[in-house]
Amino acid sequence: MNLTQPYIPKMRPQDILIPVPAGLCCKPGGFHIDPVRPVERAVITHGHSDHARPGHGAVLATRETLDMMRLRYGDNFARSTQAIAYGEEIRLGDVTVRFHPAGHVLGSAQIAVSCKNTCIVASGDYKDAGDPTCAPFEVVPCDVFITEATFGLPVFRHGNAADEIKKLLASVALFPERAHLVGAYSLGKAQRVIALLRLAGYDAPIYLHGAMEKITRYYESRGVALGDLRMVKGTKKADLAGTITLAPPSATSDVWTRRFPDPVTAFASGWMRVRARARQRGVELPLVISDHADWDGLTATINATGAGEVWVTHGQEDALVHWCTERGLTARPLDLVGYGDEDDSDAAPADEDAEA
């Protein structure tokens, strides 16, 4: 009696996922991952506007990502939605899909797509650094790993975010008569900065631009403790001396800043490693705090997955492809368009007095 398992040949990765104009298409599963234009069925990694767009037929994502899309686009952002938990497996057509934490923002996920003994992990955006506001990144063993490369150059080493928070608090102590305005993306970065300030022992009220309120309150509703938060609107200029305010990056160079006493402009971003970018934006206090993996994080993650093949997308693709091929891995860039550093394009007008 033959007790051996029947041999099931591996499926070619390109027969499972293929880049098309709408995004990454899974033909055997009948869906697209993070499509950049409306499709019948979308599987979404996280809620940033360059990955989560409205207008799809059906959307599969974590509960937090679906909630974020509702906050940004309204209840009718898709014809139907389905929430999936981390670790939950679902069958779509001829493939199985499982979501794993990506460590990028609240609800962010890597999507493992498996078909006939071949597993491809589409990581979306991710970071392996600690973040008190979201589930930590999970290494998922796979045959093919699809990685971002936003900071895919050896020059990008982000360091410890807690040290950047110390720089901010030192500046607040040094200039008690000035307000500190911290530019930060409204989904993920702002809440992480607030949580890091609290972990550093800063328990004073933190002020928010009106565009930050809905998403930040949502984080709190999901159990993320952020302490005493107040809106800038209605606060007297003199009362903002010595305080910290979080605002969309565009607001920190707007007339809105006139309501603050002699503001110190800061910006929390991995791009602040590039001094020319900080100068170009008029940033007085650059804070190197990123929600994307740096060079060491990208390369360590690729190694940890055990993947023999790596597809690289949106960012500094060539350097990471070269690093992979030097180590005997099959690697290629994915020519996907429409993705990039998340922005605050969905933010409310910088003039808070115009807000409803």
Side-chain angles (χ1 to χ4, degrees):
M1 184 175 174
N2 186 2
L3 298 179
T4 59
Q5 294 291 326
Y7 171 71
I8 302 176
K10 282 184 174 288
M11 195 166 182
R12 296 193 312 165
Q14 61 268 34
D15 292 332
I16 301 174
L17 286 174
I18 185 170
V20 298
L24 202 56
C25 176
C26 179
K27 289 187 176 179
F31 62 87
H32 291 73
I33 297 176
D34 292 351
V36 298
R37 59 181 67 169
V39 297
E40 189 55 39
R41 179 179 288 275
V43 180
I44 305 295
T45 60
H46 67 283
H48 279 138
S49 57
D50 59 331
H51 289 256
R53 291 171 165 84
H56 306 305
V59 171
L60 176 70
T62 63
R63 174 185 168 181
E64 292 86 356
T65 294
L66 293 175
D67 286 345
M68 218 67 71
M69 293 178 76
R70 288 189 187 95
L71 284 176
R72 291 181 144 179
Y73 304 129
D75 290 339
N76 299 318
F77 69 86
R79 287 203 306 273
S80 67
T81 62
Q82 181 178 353
I84 183 171
Y86 293 136
E88 183 180 349
E89 192 169 275
I90 189 170
R91 187 83 180 175
L92 295 176
D94 294 330
V95 307
T96 56
V97 170
R98 184 188 292 263
F99 277 46
H100 300 267
H104 180 55
V105 297
L106 185 65
S108 62
Q110 306 171 80
I111 299 167
V113 182
S114 300
C115 185
K116 294 183 180 178
N117 283 354
T118 298
C119 177
I120 303 176
V121 170
S123 61
D125 290 338
Y126 67 94
K127 68 175 181 292
D128 56 346
D131 184 338
T133 68
C134 66
F137 178 84
E138 177 184 318
V139 173
V140 185
C142 55
D143 300 294
V144 180
F145 185 59
I146 303 176
T147 181
E148 61 148 310
T150 303
F151 294 106
L153 289 173
V155 68
F156 289 113
R157 289 180 163 90
H158 297 326
N160 191 338
D163 292 337
E164 301 301 293
I165 293 297
K166 288 178 184 176
K167 281 169 47 178
L168 172 59
L169 292 176
S171 182
V172 172
L174 189 62
F175 302 110
E177 75 286 357
R178 302 177 70 183
H180 280 68
L181 302 185
V182 181
Y185 298 120
S186 58
L187 167 53
K189 185 67 63 62
Q191 297 77 25
R192 184 182 178 206
V193 168
I194 294 167
L196 289 171
L197 282 165
R198 299 311 188 196
L199 285 175
Y202 185 79
D203 57 5
I206 294 174
Y207 288 83
L208 299 177
H209 183 285
M212 299 286 189
E213 184 174 14
K214 281 197 292 188
I215 290 175
T216 303
R217 296 304 183 193
Y218 176 75
Y219 264 69
E220 291 182 309
S221 78
R222 300 297 291 159
V224 180
L226 298 174
D228 186 357
L229 302 176
R230 303 181 186 181
M231 295 299 110
V232 170
K233 189 175 181 179
T235 305
K236 294 179 180 178
K237 185 172 184 174
D239 293 339
L240 292 169
T243 64
I244 297 173
T245 294
L246 275 291
S250 60
T252 62
S253 57
D254 192 87
V255 293
W256 177 80
T257 62
R258 294 175 185 171
R259 66 184 64 205
F260 295 91
D262 192 16
V264 175
T265 301
F267 185 28
S269 170
W271 294 114
M272 291 299 96
R273 178 66 66 197
V274 182
R275 292 180 182 178
R277 285 217 180 194
R279 288 195 299 269
Q280 185 181 21
R281 298 189 71 122
V283 175
E284 187 174 345
L285 183 63
L287 303 172
V288 184
I289 301 175
S290 178
D291 284 336
H292 297 262
D294 63 3
W295 176 259
D296 291 336
L298 293 167
T299 56
T301 299
I302 290 169
N303 276 332
T305 65
E309 187 167 342
V310 180
W311 299 350
V312 186
T313 185
H314 61 290
Q316 306 289 340
E317 299 170 352
D318 292 348
L320 203 54
V321 168
H322 178 72
W323 181 91
C324 290
T325 54
E326 276 199 326
R327 281 150 186 80
L329 302 175
T330 300
R332 67 184 180 100
L334 277 188
D335 296 320
L336 295 174
V337 297
Y339 305 107
D341 202 31
E342 55 277 357
D343 59 34
D344 58 305
S345 59
D346 59 322
D351 179 5
E352 282 195 279
D353 294 327
E355 290 175 20

